[in-house]
PDB file of all heavy atoms in Angstrom:
ATOM      1  N   THR I   1      -3.904   9.311  -3.756  1.00  0.00           N
ATOM      2  CA  THR I   1      -3.687   7.867  -4.193  1.00  0.00           C
ATOM      3  C   THR I   1      -2.354   7.597  -4.818  1.00  0.00           C
ATOM      4  O   THR I   1      -1.771   6.549  -4.505  1.00  0.00           O
ATOM      5  CB  THR I   1      -4.793   7.508  -5.119  1.00  0.00           C
ATOM      6  OG1 THR I   1      -6.195   7.865  -4.586  1.00  0.00           O
ATOM      7  CG2 THR I   1      -4.848   6.111  -5.523  1.00  0.00           C
ATOM      8  N   SER I   2      -1.720   8.519  -5.516  1.00  0.00           N
ATOM      9  CA  SER I   2      -0.488   8.270  -5.942  1.00  0.00           C
ATOM     10  C   SER I   2       0.513   8.199  -4.863  1.00  0.00           C
ATOM     11  O   SER I   2       1.561   7.336  -4.903  1.00  0.00           O
ATOM     12  CB  SER I   2      -0.018   9.513  -6.903  1.00  0.00           C
ATOM     13  OG  SER I   2      -0.754   9.444  -7.990  1.00  0.00           O
ATOM     14  N   ALA I   3       0.373   9.010  -3.783  1.00  0.00           N
ATOM     15  CA  ALA I   3       1.257   8.862  -2.676  1.00  0.00           C
ATOM     16  C   ALA I   3       1.117   7.562  -2.016  1.00  0.00           C
ATOM     17  O   ALA I   3       2.076   7.021  -1.462  1.00  0.00           O
ATOM     18  CB  ALA I   3       1.047   9.975  -1.810  1.00  0.00           C
ATOM     19  N   LEU I   4      -0.126   6.979  -1.966  1.00  0.00           N
ATOM     20  CA  LEU I   4      -0.328   5.661  -1.397  1.00  0.00           C
ATOM     21  C   LEU I   4       0.442   4.598  -2.204  1.00  0.00           C
ATOM     22  O   LEU I   4       0.919   3.600  -1.559  1.00  0.00           O
ATOM     23  CB  LEU I   4      -1.988   5.405  -1.498  1.00  0.00           C
ATOM     24  CG  LEU I   4      -2.743   5.709  -0.228  1.00  0.00           C
ATOM     25  CD1 LEU I   4      -4.235   5.388  -0.558  1.00  0.00           C
ATOM     26  CD2 LEU I   4      -2.247   5.031   0.991  1.00  0.00           C
ATOM     27  N   VAL I   5       0.319   4.813  -3.469  1.00  0.00           N
ATOM     28  CA  VAL I   5       1.069   3.802  -4.330  1.00  0.00           C
ATOM     29  C   VAL I   5       2.514   3.758  -4.020  1.00  0.00           C
ATOM     30  O   VAL I   5       3.114   2.731  -3.812  1.00  0.00           O
ATOM     31  CB  VAL I   5       0.835   4.215  -5.874  1.00  0.00           C
ATOM     32  CG1 VAL I   5       1.802   3.322  -6.694  1.00  0.00           C
ATOM     33  CG2 VAL I   5      -0.624   3.931  -6.264  1.00  0.00           C
ATOM     34  N   VAL I   6       3.136   4.919  -3.862  1.00  0.00           N
ATOM     35  CA  VAL I   6       4.529   5.138  -3.617  1.00  0.00           C
ATOM     36  C   VAL I   6       4.813   4.410  -2.192  1.00  0.00           C
ATOM     37  O   VAL I   6       5.750   3.650  -2.075  1.00  0.00           O
ATOM     38  CB  VAL I   6       4.930   6.570  -3.631  1.00  0.00           C
ATOM     39  CG1 VAL I   6       6.431   6.678  -3.066  1.00  0.00           C
ATOM     40  CG2 VAL I   6       4.976   7.104  -5.034  1.00  0.00           C
ATOM     41  N   SER I   7       3.985   4.651  -1.223  1.00  0.00           N
ATOM     42  CA  SER I   7       4.103   4.171   0.149  1.00  0.00           C
ATOM     43  C   SER I   7       4.078   2.647   0.126  1.00  0.00           C
ATOM     44  O   SER I   7       4.856   1.998   0.698  1.00  0.00           O
ATOM     45  CB  SER I   7       3.112   4.801   1.117  1.00  0.00           C
ATOM     46  OG  SER I   7       3.330   6.192   1.303  1.00  0.00           O
ATOM     47  N   TYR I   8       3.012   2.145  -0.613  1.00  0.00           N
ATOM     48  CA  TYR I   8       2.758   0.759  -0.514  1.00  0.00           C
ATOM     49  C   TYR I   8       3.925   0.012  -1.249  1.00  0.00           C
ATOM     50  O   TYR I   8       4.424  -1.005  -0.681  1.00  0.00           O
ATOM     51  CB  TYR I   8       1.525   0.503  -1.286  1.00  0.00           C
ATOM     52  CG  TYR I   8       1.103  -0.993  -1.386  1.00  0.00           C
ATOM     53  CD1 TYR I   8       0.398  -1.578  -0.360  1.00  0.00           C
ATOM     54  CD2 TYR I   8       1.572  -1.833  -2.472  1.00  0.00           C
ATOM     55  CE1 TYR I   8       0.232  -2.915  -0.318  1.00  0.00           C
ATOM     56  CE2 TYR I   8       1.245  -3.227  -2.354  1.00  0.00           C
ATOM     57  CZ  TYR I   8       0.537  -3.769  -1.370  1.00  0.00           C
ATOM     58  OH  TYR I   8       0.314  -5.082  -1.468  1.00  0.00           O
ATOM     59  N   PHE I   9       4.347   0.504  -2.317  1.00  0.00           N
ATOM     60  CA  PHE I   9       5.404  -0.255  -3.150  1.00  0.00           C
ATOM     61  C   PHE I   9       6.868   0.035  -2.664  1.00  0.00           C
ATOM     62  O   PHE I   9       7.685  -0.653  -3.032  1.00  0.00           O
ATOM     63  CB  PHE I   9       5.208  -0.018  -4.604  1.00  0.00           C
ATOM     64  CG  PHE I   9       4.075  -0.737  -5.035  1.00  0.00           C
ATOM     65  CD1 PHE I   9       2.737  -0.114  -5.340  1.00  0.00           C
ATOM     66  CD2 PHE I   9       4.029  -2.191  -5.330  1.00  0.00           C
ATOM     67  CE1 PHE I   9       1.641  -0.788  -5.762  1.00  0.00           C
ATOM     68  CE2 PHE I   9       2.995  -2.801  -5.844  1.00  0.00           C
ATOM     69  CZ  PHE I   9       1.770  -2.049  -6.034  1.00  0.00           C
ATOM     70  N   SER I  10       6.983   1.045  -1.814  1.00  0.00           N
ATOM     71  CA  SER I  10       8.445   1.410  -1.371  1.00  0.00           C
ATOM     72  C   SER I  10       8.741   0.704  -0.044  1.00  0.00           C
ATOM     73  O   SER I  10       9.933   0.646   0.246  1.00  0.00           O
ATOM     74  CB  SER I  10       8.585   2.893  -1.318  1.00  0.00           C
ATOM     75  OG  SER I  10       7.747   3.447  -0.217  1.00  0.00           O
ATOM     76  N   THR I  11       7.817   0.253   0.574  1.00  0.00           N
ATOM     77  CA  THR I  11       8.122  -0.508   1.851  1.00  0.00           C
ATOM     78  C   THR I  11       8.091  -2.013   1.604  1.00  0.00           C
ATOM     79  O   THR I  11       7.372  -2.506   0.741  1.00  0.00           O
ATOM     80  CB  THR I  11       6.986  -0.073   3.032  1.00  0.00           C
ATOM     81  OG1 THR I  11       7.468  -0.764   4.267  1.00  0.00           O
ATOM     82  CG2 THR I  11       5.726  -0.558   2.614  1.00  0.00           C
ATOM     83  N   ARG I  12       8.863  -2.711   2.382  1.00  0.00           N
ATOM     84  CA  ARG I  12       8.904  -4.101   2.392  1.00  0.00           C
ATOM     85  C   ARG I  12       8.318  -4.569   3.660  1.00  0.00           C
ATOM     86  O   ARG I  12       8.340  -5.782   3.954  1.00  0.00           O
ATOM     87  CB  ARG I  12      10.256  -4.595   2.089  1.00  0.00           C
ATOM     88  CG  ARG I  12      10.735  -4.324   0.716  1.00  0.00           C
ATOM     89  CD  ARG I  12       9.879  -5.050  -0.246  1.00  0.00           C
ATOM     90  NE  ARG I  12      10.066  -4.448  -1.700  1.00  0.00           N
ATOM     91  CZ  ARG I  12       9.110  -4.056  -2.453  1.00  0.00           C
ATOM     92  NH1 ARG I  12       7.881  -4.282  -2.147  1.00  0.00           N
ATOM     93  NH2 ARG I  12       9.390  -3.629  -3.681  1.00  0.00           N
ATOM     94  N   HIS I  13       7.807  -3.665   4.484  1.00  0.00           N
ATOM     95  CA  HIS I  13       7.191  -4.116   5.754  1.00  0.00           C
ATOM     96  C   HIS I  13       5.787  -4.644   5.399  1.00  0.00           C
ATOM     97  O   HIS I  13       4.890  -3.907   5.066  1.00  0.00           O
ATOM     98  CB  HIS I  13       7.056  -2.907   6.674  1.00  0.00           C
ATOM     99  CG  HIS I  13       6.821  -3.264   7.991  1.00  0.00           C
ATOM    100  ND1 HIS I  13       5.661  -3.741   8.478  1.00  0.00           N
ATOM    101  CD2 HIS I  13       7.728  -3.120   9.169  1.00  0.00           C
ATOM    102  CE1 HIS I  13       5.728  -3.875   9.801  1.00  0.00           C
ATOM    103  NE2 HIS I  13       6.925  -3.666  10.162  1.00  0.00           N
ATOM    104  N   VAL I  14       5.645  -5.900   5.675  1.00  0.00           N
ATOM    105  CA  VAL I  14       4.500  -6.682   5.302  1.00  0.00           C
ATOM    106  C   VAL I  14       3.134  -6.104   5.987  1.00  0.00           C
ATOM    107  O   VAL I  14       2.142  -5.997   5.462  1.00  0.00           O
ATOM    108  CB  VAL I  14       4.713  -8.181   5.559  1.00  0.00           C
ATOM    109  CG1 VAL I  14       3.237  -8.975   5.341  1.00  0.00           C
ATOM    110  CG2 VAL I  14       5.728  -8.749   4.722  1.00  0.00           C
ATOM    111  N   VAL I  15       3.383  -5.784   7.322  1.00  0.00           N
ATOM    112  CA  VAL I  15       2.245  -5.362   8.038  1.00  0.00           C
ATOM    113  C   VAL I  15       1.915  -3.931   7.449  1.00  0.00           C
ATOM    114  O   VAL I  15       0.689  -3.635   7.234  1.00  0.00           O
ATOM    115  CB  VAL I  15       2.519  -5.183   9.618  1.00  0.00           C
ATOM    116  CG1 VAL I  15       1.432  -4.523  10.332  1.00  0.00           C
ATOM    117  CG2 VAL I  15       2.789  -6.623  10.162  1.00  0.00           C
ATOM    118  N   ALA I  16       2.721  -3.023   7.238  1.00  0.00           N
ATOM    119  CA  ALA I  16       2.452  -1.788   6.675  1.00  0.00           C
ATOM    120  C   ALA I  16       1.743  -1.951   5.334  1.00  0.00           C
ATOM    121  O   ALA I  16       0.732  -1.223   5.135  1.00  0.00           O
ATOM    122  CB  ALA I  16       3.704  -0.901   6.506  1.00  0.00           C
ATOM    123  N   GLN I  17       2.254  -2.841   4.493  1.00  0.00           N
ATOM    124  CA  GLN I  17       1.517  -3.038   3.136  1.00  0.00           C
ATOM    125  C   GLN I  17       0.184  -3.530   3.319  1.00  0.00           C
ATOM    126  O   GLN I  17      -0.765  -2.964   2.605  1.00  0.00           O
ATOM    127  CB  GLN I  17       2.434  -4.059   2.452  1.00  0.00           C
ATOM    128  CG  GLN I  17       3.622  -3.488   1.785  1.00  0.00           C
ATOM    129  CD  GLN I  17       4.202  -4.437   0.789  1.00  0.00           C
ATOM    130  OE1 GLN I  17       4.325  -5.662   1.177  1.00  0.00           O
ATOM    131  NE2 GLN I  17       4.684  -4.024  -0.343  1.00  0.00           N
ATOM    132  N   GLU I  18      -0.022  -4.445   4.267  1.00  0.00           N
ATOM    133  CA  GLU I  18      -1.412  -4.928   4.514  1.00  0.00           C
ATOM    134  C   GLU I  18      -2.343  -3.901   4.950  1.00  0.00           C
ATOM    135  O   GLU I  18      -3.631  -3.743   4.634  1.00  0.00           O
ATOM    136  CB  GLU I  18      -1.456  -6.189   5.405  1.00  0.00           C
ATOM    137  CG  GLU I  18      -0.944  -7.355   4.630  1.00  0.00           C
ATOM    138  CD  GLU I  18      -1.614  -7.794   3.334  1.00  0.00           C
ATOM    139  OE1 GLU I  18      -2.890  -7.806   3.334  1.00  0.00           O
ATOM    140  OE2 GLU I  18      -0.901  -7.919   2.347  1.00  0.00           O
ATOM    141  N   MET I  19      -1.867  -2.981   5.728  1.00  0.00           N
ATOM    142  CA  MET I  19      -2.673  -1.826   6.285  1.00  0.00           C
ATOM    143  C   MET I  19      -3.083  -0.891   5.226  1.00  0.00           C
ATOM    144  O   MET I  19      -4.105  -0.312   5.338  1.00  0.00           O
ATOM    145  CB  MET I  19      -1.944  -1.199   7.516  1.00  0.00           C
ATOM    146  CG  MET I  19      -1.766  -2.096   8.637  1.00  0.00           C
ATOM    147  SD  MET I  19      -0.682  -1.337   9.933  1.00  0.00           S
ATOM    148  CE  MET I  19      -1.979  -0.452  11.020  1.00  0.00           C
ATOM    149  N   LEU I  20      -2.226  -0.710   4.248  1.00  0.00           N
ATOM    150  CA  LEU I  20      -2.454   0.227   3.110  1.00  0.00           C
ATOM    151  C   LEU I  20      -3.224  -0.365   2.074  1.00  0.00           C
ATOM    152  O   LEU I  20      -3.952   0.324   1.250  1.00  0.00           O
ATOM    153  CB  LEU I  20      -1.067   0.793   2.621  1.00  0.00           C
ATOM    154  CG  LEU I  20      -0.281   1.588   3.530  1.00  0.00           C
ATOM    155  CD1 LEU I  20       1.184   1.856   2.965  1.00  0.00           C
ATOM    156  CD2 LEU I  20      -0.913   2.829   3.897  1.00  0.00           C
ATOM    157  N   ARG I  21      -3.192  -1.705   1.942  1.00  0.00           N
ATOM    158  CA  ARG I  21      -3.736  -2.388   0.719  1.00  0.00           C
ATOM    159  C   ARG I  21      -5.235  -2.134   0.546  1.00  0.00           C
ATOM    160  O   ARG I  21      -5.589  -1.736  -0.681  1.00  0.00           O
ATOM    161  CB  ARG I  21      -3.568  -3.877   0.955  1.00  0.00           C
ATOM    162  CG  ARG I  21      -3.985  -4.735  -0.325  1.00  0.00           C
ATOM    163  CD  ARG I  21      -3.803  -6.223  -0.036  1.00  0.00           C
ATOM    164  NE  ARG I  21      -4.257  -6.981  -1.118  1.00  0.00           N
ATOM    165  CZ  ARG I  21      -3.752  -7.236  -2.356  1.00  0.00           C
ATOM    166  NH1 ARG I  21      -2.638  -6.650  -2.583  1.00  0.00           N
ATOM    167  NH2 ARG I  21      -4.348  -7.913  -3.191  1.00  0.00           N
ATOM    168  N   GLY I  22      -6.002  -2.281   1.495  1.00  0.00           N
ATOM    169  CA  GLY I  22      -7.534  -1.994   1.219  1.00  0.00           C
ATOM    170  C   GLY I  22      -7.833  -0.611   0.863  1.00  0.00           C
ATOM    171  O   GLY I  22      -8.731  -0.413   0.002  1.00  0.00           O
ATOM    172  N   VAL I  23      -7.197   0.413   1.404  1.00  0.00           N
ATOM    173  CA  VAL I  23      -7.399   1.753   1.100  1.00  0.00           C
ATOM    174  C   VAL I  23      -6.800   2.025  -0.239  1.00  0.00           C
ATOM    175  O   VAL I  23      -7.621   2.757  -1.135  1.00  0.00           O
ATOM    176  CB  VAL I  23      -6.695   2.652   2.191  1.00  0.00           C
ATOM    177  CG1 VAL I  23      -6.969   4.197   1.686  1.00  0.00           C
ATOM    178  CG2 VAL I  23      -7.416   2.485   3.459  1.00  0.00           C
ATOM    179  N   LEU I  24      -5.734   1.479  -0.630  1.00  0.00           N
ATOM    180  CA  LEU I  24      -5.223   1.646  -2.051  1.00  0.00           C
ATOM    181  C   LEU I  24      -6.151   1.114  -3.052  1.00  0.00           C
ATOM    182  O   LEU I  24      -6.417   1.741  -4.039  1.00  0.00           O
ATOM    183  CB  LEU I  24      -3.754   1.078  -2.028  1.00  0.00           C
ATOM    184  CG  LEU I  24      -3.146   1.250  -3.354  1.00  0.00           C
ATOM    185  CD1 LEU I  24      -3.003   2.598  -3.837  1.00  0.00           C
ATOM    186  CD2 LEU I  24      -1.674   0.549  -3.311  1.00  0.00           C
ATOM    187  N   LEU I  25      -6.470  -0.076  -2.939  1.00  0.00           N
ATOM    188  CA  LEU I  25      -7.313  -0.795  -3.857  1.00  0.00           C
ATOM    189  C   LEU I  25      -8.630   0.042  -3.998  1.00  0.00           C
ATOM    190  O   LEU I  25      -9.108   0.311  -5.198  1.00  0.00           O
ATOM    191  CB  LEU I  25      -7.712  -2.238  -3.383  1.00  0.00           C
ATOM    192  CG  LEU I  25      -6.628  -3.320  -3.634  1.00  0.00           C
ATOM    193  CD1 LEU I  25      -7.037  -4.545  -2.835  1.00  0.00           C
ATOM    194  CD2 LEU I  25      -6.423  -3.538  -5.137  1.00  0.00           C
ATOM    195  N   THR I  26      -9.260   0.320  -2.864  1.00  0.00           N
ATOM    196  CA  THR I  26     -10.460   1.177  -2.950  1.00  0.00           C
ATOM    197  C   THR I  26     -10.313   2.519  -3.741  1.00  0.00           C
ATOM    198  O   THR I  26     -11.204   2.862  -4.487  1.00  0.00           O
ATOM    199  CB  THR I  26     -11.053   1.282  -1.555  1.00  0.00           C
ATOM    200  OG1 THR I  26     -11.265   0.080  -0.966  1.00  0.00           O
ATOM    201  CG2 THR I  26     -12.420   2.073  -1.488  1.00  0.00           C
ATOM    202  N   SER I  27      -9.327   3.083  -3.319  1.00  0.00           N
ATOM    203  CA  SER I  27      -8.955   4.539  -3.929  1.00  0.00           C
ATOM    204  C   SER I  27      -8.834   4.319  -5.467  1.00  0.00           C
ATOM    205  O   SER I  27      -9.224   5.184  -6.274  1.00  0.00           O
ATOM    206  CB  SER I  27      -7.837   5.086  -3.275  1.00  0.00           C
ATOM    207  OG  SER I  27      -8.071   5.214  -1.872  1.00  0.00           O
ATOM    208  N   LEU I  28      -7.987   3.221  -5.837  1.00  0.00           N
ATOM    209  CA  LEU I  28      -7.817   3.064  -7.299  1.00  0.00           C
ATOM    210  C   LEU I  28      -9.151   2.886  -8.115  1.00  0.00           C
ATOM    211  O   LEU I  28      -9.243   3.427  -9.184  1.00  0.00           O
ATOM    212  CB  LEU I  28      -6.807   2.006  -7.582  1.00  0.00           C
ATOM    213  CG  LEU I  28      -5.347   2.314  -7.201  1.00  0.00           C
ATOM    214  CD1 LEU I  28      -4.516   1.004  -7.131  1.00  0.00           C
ATOM    215  CD2 LEU I  28      -4.758   3.244  -8.074  1.00  0.00           C
TER     216      LEU I  28
END
């Protein structure tokens, strides 16, 4: 989950963020 946080917040690619968002929220 920590790696997901880093991936989500280090990219500015909107599509990548949206793909990660649901898994990140659920995991947190």
